[in-house]
Amino acid sequence: MPFFTRALPAAALLFASLSSFAPGTVQASSTPVLDRIRDTGAVRVAYRESSVPFSFYDADKKPIGYAMDLCLRVVDKLRTDLKRPDLKVQYVMVTPSTRMPAIIEGKADLECGSTTNNRERREKVAFTIPHYIAGIRMLVKTSSGIRKWDDLRGKTVVTTKGTTSVAELRKMNDVRVLNMNFLEAKDHAESFAMVETGKADAFAMDDVLLYGFRANTKTPGDYAVVGDMLTVEPYAIMLSKDDTEFKRLVDRAMTNIILDYDAEKLYKKWFQQPIPPHSAKLDIPMSFLLRDSFKYPSDKVAD
């Protein structure tokens, strides 16, 4: 039985009150993020280069993806709520290591990628309602013979610096005494390249990102995503912890996007249809955890 069905019932992610997200008249207040948006006439959206299909470059180096589409819809609703139809979007490129500082230091207003909402991060930043629920697995070459975590004993494993997988892998390594050799790459693309070139035996990361790399390689059959889920990872748009009014607007926007079935339509677009830049098709059905969470939108998650 998969880890998340034993350890994290769907109800743990659900059933929070919607009252704080209820429609109503927005009262403009003096808040740091909103004031900056009003003063500059722009919303700064942080994106990733290679987090397929959430936030990545198309063939023309334009940021696209599931999370990016959701963020642009949030910006549309901010234009209405703030009565600023002229609001522009400014893009800010971030990596796993720079995404939190970008929000904390005010360099970006929304981070739209594949970032997990967990207790440690909530001490520094805030998150809106999850838009995806993933789990840590590993990508290996099909010919490697690696199929489960114990097969990594004495082997080299790469993961991406600044992600939740780093601590989880080290914990598993210690508990199971696997004596793995760890490498940390600067981004997901570099992590995948290390497996591709034989510098690492496995790339451990959230499963959906691994499927994205597998689908976009020239020979998908040469790679496999294997291993039981180590964790359950609720992805959500990240924003400042110091502006409760801005968060209220974003939460309300996400609630409307979900309850109007826009999020479900975007899910089908990015997970079940061919996507740029190579018309790859991930073909990942919506999990029951995510489908249930969309029935009762909430920013509360189980840690």
Side-chain angles (χ1 to χ4, degrees):
M1 182 182 296
F3 173 84
F4 65 86
T5 57
R6 298 197 309 267
L8 189 64
L13 292 169
L14 312 177
F15 304 111
S17 170
L18 296 179
S19 60
S20 62
F21 305 153
T25 302
V26 177
Q27 297 297 325
S29 58
S30 179
T31 56
V33 178
L34 286 176
D35 284 351
R36 184 168 63 241
I37 290 172
R38 292 189 187 102
D39 291 343
T40 62
V43 180
R44 287 177 287 186
V45 172
Y47 69 92
R48 301 280 293 281
E49 291 180 291
S50 59
S51 286
V52 180
F54 298 93
S55 181
F56 63 104
Y57 280 146
D58 65 8
D60 298 321
K61 296 293 184 179
K62 175 186 175 183
I64 59 171
Y66 174 59
M68 293 299 297
D69 278 359
L70 288 170
C71 273
L72 293 180
R73 278 163 172 73
V74 168
V75 173
D76 281 341
K77 293 186 181 297
L78 289 175
R79 290 187 178 108
T80 300
D81 286 342
L82 299 175
K83 297 180 175 58
R84 288 291 303 272
D86 60 329
L87 280 183
K88 295 178 175 60
V89 173
Q90 293 179 349
Y91 292 105
V92 180
M93 195 276 285
V94 294
T95 68
S97 298
T98 64
R99 56 188 169 181
M100 284 183 62
I103 293 294
I104 294 169
E105 296 167 12
K107 296 176 182 176
D109 305 314
L110 300 169
E111 190 268 337
C112 312
S114 51
T115 301
T116 300
N117 174 355
N118 61 27
R119 181 185 295 111
E120 181 181 0
R121 286 174 175 163
R122 288 197 303 274
E123 293 178 0
K124 300 178 180 179
V125 296
F127 292 89
T128 188
I129 301 161
H131 54 255
Y132 193 85
I133 300 172
I136 295 175
R137 297 178 70 194
M138 58 179 159
L139 180 141
V140 299
K141 287 187 175 179
T142 306
S143 59
S144 69
I146 298 171
R147 294 295 177 268
K148 57 185 185 298
W149 294 106
D150 285 351
D151 293 337
L152 293 178
R153 182 168 276 103
K155 297 189 180 297
T156 299
V157 182
V158 64
T159 191
T160 306
K161 186 177 181 180
T163 63
T164 56
S165 57
V166 176
E168 293 298 331
L169 283 172
R170 294 189 181 280
K171 187 189 307 179
M172 180 190 67
N173 185 54
D174 292 342
V175 170
R176 301 190 187 187
V177 195
L178 297 179
N179 296 315
M180 295 186 296
N181 175 37
F182 288 104
L183 298 176
E184 292 186 30
K186 65 179 181 180
D187 57 31
H188 299 325
E190 184 176 271
S191 292
F192 176 73
M194 287 187 178
V195 174
E196 196 174 30
T197 57
K199 294 179 181 178
D201 299 295
F203 170 22
M205 185 49 57
D206 299 350
D207 53 358
V208 64
L209 301 178
L210 300 179
Y211 278 114
F213 277 101
R214 180 181 182 274
N216 277 292
T217 188
K218 293 181 180 178
T219 54
D222 289 351
Y223 300 91
V225 178
V226 299
D228 293 334
M229 278 189 177
L230 287 184
T231 59
V232 173
E233 309 280 335
Y235 290 178
I237 295 169
M238 183 166 55
L239 59 157
S240 174
K241 188 179 180 180
D242 299 326
D243 195 327
T244 56
E245 178 64 9
F246 179 61
K247 175 170 165 50
R248 189 177 75 84
L249 294 180
V250 174
D251 286 343
R252 192 175 76 178
M254 277 297 296
T255 298
N256 291 336
I257 291 166
I258 290 169
L259 295 182
D260 288 343
Y261 297 100
D262 283 347
E264 187 170 341
K265 292 174 184 175
L266 291 175
Y267 185 97
K268 291 178 180 177
K269 170 185 174 182
W270 290 102
F271 293 91
Q272 297 179 302
Q273 297 175 12
I275 61 174
H278 306 301
S279 296
K281 187 177 180 182
L282 299 181
D283 201 19
I284 303 176
M286 186 179 290
S287 70
F288 76 89
L289 279 175
L290 184 60
R291 190 173 299 280
D292 283 355
S293 72
F294 278 179
K295 294 177 182 177
Y296 304 93
S298 170
D299 64 344
K300 304 299 186 293
V301 301
D303 291 309

